[in-house]
Structure formats: structure tokens, C-alpha cells
Amino acid sequence: MVVAQNYLHPDQPAGGLITDPSGETGVLARYAWYRDYHDFVGERLKLLAEFMDELSGLESRSLWYVDTGPVLERSYAHRAGIGFVGKHTNLISRELGNWFFLGEVLTQVRLEPDSSQPNRCGTCRRCLDACPTGALPEPFRLDARRCISYLTIEHKGSIPEEIRPLMGQRIFGCDDCLAVCPWNRFAKQSRELESFLNPELRNRPLERWLGMNDKEFRETTRGTPLFRTRRGRFLRNVAIAMGNSRQRRYLASLEQAVMHDPDALVQEHASWAIQHITDNPDPDPSQ
Ligand code: SF4
């Protein structure tokens, strides 16, 4: 059984990009405005699995997953009728657009299967054209090596230099291919996740991240999606966003990071950011 939990917050536009023109805070993927969804979706799935076990009377226990086990969730969700796979390789729901988490319950309870849906992209190719790094070279093919979401969250090492200027202010994930999808006209806002929101993360100035030691980082991000990315990788992203802001006010913090940050990954990206600001200064001299 596959379930979808919509997460579009009332402050988030269903379509269009979220940006940070001031270069102050950077931009998080929409889902990262909340605490770690593995926790709160998992709590609900656990209740569902227990309910199904009670209902069935079978001795075997149902198992639940939310992006945590060896479960091909997108493929199962498609087969379960949740939605269809778009050209951006993500699942689209005709009721929720692009903004939802998936969860699965593996059970021996016999259920009537729903039917899967055909692709409904038609001639649209907005997601392919919108990707800032060209990570969708053709429909249904994602090049993870160029995907900002993969690079800012999963990738452990240095980010390729030719990709860095294309990342803009994105410091954790990227929603662009989802945000431009016309199926978002059916997106529904979720008010029930309000209590899981963490405004501290998305409003935190870039400068306050860069000076943070490992203990502070873990305390600030515990229970959020940022925690598992770890300090070094996240501050690498922050340094790139500072560089892309082209604002000279960041030079002192970046120089501190080059000289004193304990992580070579952060040093290297801070050094790149200094060079990038120096070579491409913001035309507004007040910055
Ligand atoms: S933006 Fe267009 S092509 Fe891309 S997934 Fe949505 S409908 Fe399909």
C-alpha cells in the first residue's frame, strides 16, 4: 500500500520559484522547511500498519517505510495509482501536483489494487528547459552528476566548478523542475503540517551558518533534513551561495573560513567564493 502526504505550505507558491534576491538566507527546497519528514510521516505509517494488522487478524506484522528501506517507492506509487512519472522523473499526482511525500506499508492483507495511470506530460517540456544545470538532458533521464538536489544533499565531495555559478542561492535541494510543472495547478496546501515547520532554518542568515562549529550545527539541525547532510557539506553549499550573491560584505567571513575552518571542503569552497565575488562584484556598491 502506498500513501502520499502533501506538504505545500500556505507561504509556498504552488508554481514558480522561491528565490532569495537579497542574498541573505539562501533557499531551501520546500520540504526542508519542515522537520525531518521521515519522523512525522513514519509516525503516521506506523499507526496505519498497526491498524491494518488489527483489521486482518493475521499473525504476520505489516512493515512500513518512508524512503528508508530497499523499497522502489516511486515505482510502487505509480503502480498503486498515486500518480504518473513525469519527464522530470518524479511522480505527479492529479490531485496534489508535485508536492508530496511517499510512504509504503508492506502487508499480507489482501487489498483490491488500484490501476496505474499513463503519463500525461503531452508535449510539455518545461521542466527540461527550467533546470539551471541541464540535469534533464532528455525526457525521463536525470543526470545526477548535474542535479543541484543531489549535489547539495547527497554528494559528499567537492562540487564541480562549472556547476557552482549555476546553483544560485540554493543551499539545500532544488525544486525548479517540480515548481514549473503545470500540474501544480491541482496542488493542495497542507495546514496540518504547520506544527512540523521550522522557520529558524529558512530564515537563518548565511553568515550565521558559516561560523558554526560542528556541535552548534548538530544542535541547530537535529531532527531536520539538514542534519544528515552534516556540517561540512552544508557549509560548502552556503559558501557557494555567498559567492553567487557577489556581495563583498561576505568576504571577511569567507576569509575566516579559508583560514580557520577545520574542514578542507569548506575552505576550498570559501576560497572559490572569494574569487567569484572578486571577479564578479555586485554592481550595487552598498552590498
Ligand atoms: S513540467 Fe511538463 S514535462 Fe515536466 S513533468 Fe511537468 S508536465 Fe511533464
Side-chain angles (χ1 to χ4, degrees):
M1 181 154 83
V2 185
V3 299
Q5 165 71 60
N6 57 319
Y7 63 78
L8 186 72
H9 187 268
D11 290 347
Q12 298 173 336
L17 312 183
I18 295 177
T19 58
D20 170 28
S22 68
E24 187 76 28
T25 59
V27 178
L28 304 174
R30 283 167 173 74
Y31 81 87
W33 286 28
Y34 298 95
R35 281 173 30 208
D36 192 339
Y37 68 93
H38 297 93
D39 297 338
F40 58 82
V41 177
E43 282 165 19
R44 290 168 174 216
L45 283 170
K46 182 168 177 281
L47 290 176
L48 180 59
E50 287 170 357
F51 172 72
M52 292 181 70
D53 288 341
E54 265 176 41
L55 208 65
S56 73
L58 293 172
E59 288 207 355
S60 62
R61 300 237 340 256
S62 300
L63 303 174
W64 56 268
Y65 292 95
V66 51
D67 195 23
T68 43
V71 177
L72 299 171
E73 61 175 16
R74 187 188 60 189
S75 165
Y76 290 160
H78 176 230
R79 285 173 58 186
I82 297 271
F84 62 92
V85 178
K87 289 178 185 174
H88 54 20
T89 75
N90 287 292
L91 206 71
I92 300 170
S93 157
R94 295 170 74 192
E95 285 95 42
L96 302 174
N98 287 258
W99 312 112
F100 53 91
F101 303 119
L102 291 173
E104 301 81 37
V105 176
L106 270 55
T107 181
Q108 290 193 321
V109 178
R110 289 200 169 274
L111 298 166
E112 192 65 36
D114 289 310
S115 50
S116 62
Q117 300 173 25
N119 174 270
R120 289 187 162 88
C121 288
T123 56
C124 175
R125 50 168 290 130
R126 284 190 205 176
C127 52
L128 282 75
D129 297 335
C131 179
T133 58
L136 291 164
E138 58 188 74
F140 309 109
R141 187 162 81 81
L142 174 70
D143 182 352
R145 295 166 303 178
R146 300 187 70 82
C147 174
I148 295 173
S149 195
Y150 171 78
L151 289 170
T152 54
I153 299 172
E154 310 289 346
H155 180 62
K156 291 193 170 72
S158 181
I159 292 185
E161 286 205 25
E162 81 272 14
I163 301 279
R164 294 178 198 176
L166 307 175
M167 288 169 55
Q169 300 305 112
R170 300 169 188 82
I171 55 174
F172 188 87
C174 173
D175 284 334
D176 290 19
C177 64
L178 307 179
V180 297
C181 179
W183 285 96
N184 287 330
R185 67 180 178 273
F186 299 107
K188 292 187 179 56
Q189 291 177 345
S190 171
R191 290 183 184 277
E192 59 181 313
L193 297 186
E194 188 71 32
S195 60
F196 301 107
L197 208 62
N198 191 337
E200 154 72 5
L201 290 187
R202 72 172 199 272
N203 294 324
R204 198 177 185 91
L206 294 172
E207 262 177 322
R208 286 186 58 204
W209 286 114
L210 199 63
M212 209 176 242
N213 65 32
D214 193 49
K215 183 166 173 284
E216 289 167 328
F217 181 80
R218 281 189 279 118
E219 282 169 0
T220 307
T221 61
R222 194 178 304 284
T224 77
L226 277 59
F227 183 76
R228 291 188 301 159
T229 299
R230 307 268 175 91
R231 175 188 180 277
R233 275 188 263 169
F234 186 70
L235 267 54
R236 165 199 67 186
N237 306 339
V238 167
I240 293 174
M242 284 179 161
N244 285 336
S245 78
R246 305 186 299 156
Q247 295 177 12
R248 297 186 65 81
R249 65 183 165 126
Y250 287 137
L251 287 175
S253 317
L254 289 164
E255 278 158 12
Q256 282 292 316
V258 172
M259 286 188 291
H260 302 299
D261 197 282
D263 192 324
L265 191 65
V266 181
Q267 288 173 20
E268 190 241 319
H269 288 75
S271 178
W272 173 86
I274 292 169
Q275 194 63 48
H276 193 67
I277 294 171
T278 311
D279 293 346
N280 309 278
D282 191 311
D284 179 354
S286 67
Q287 301 289 349

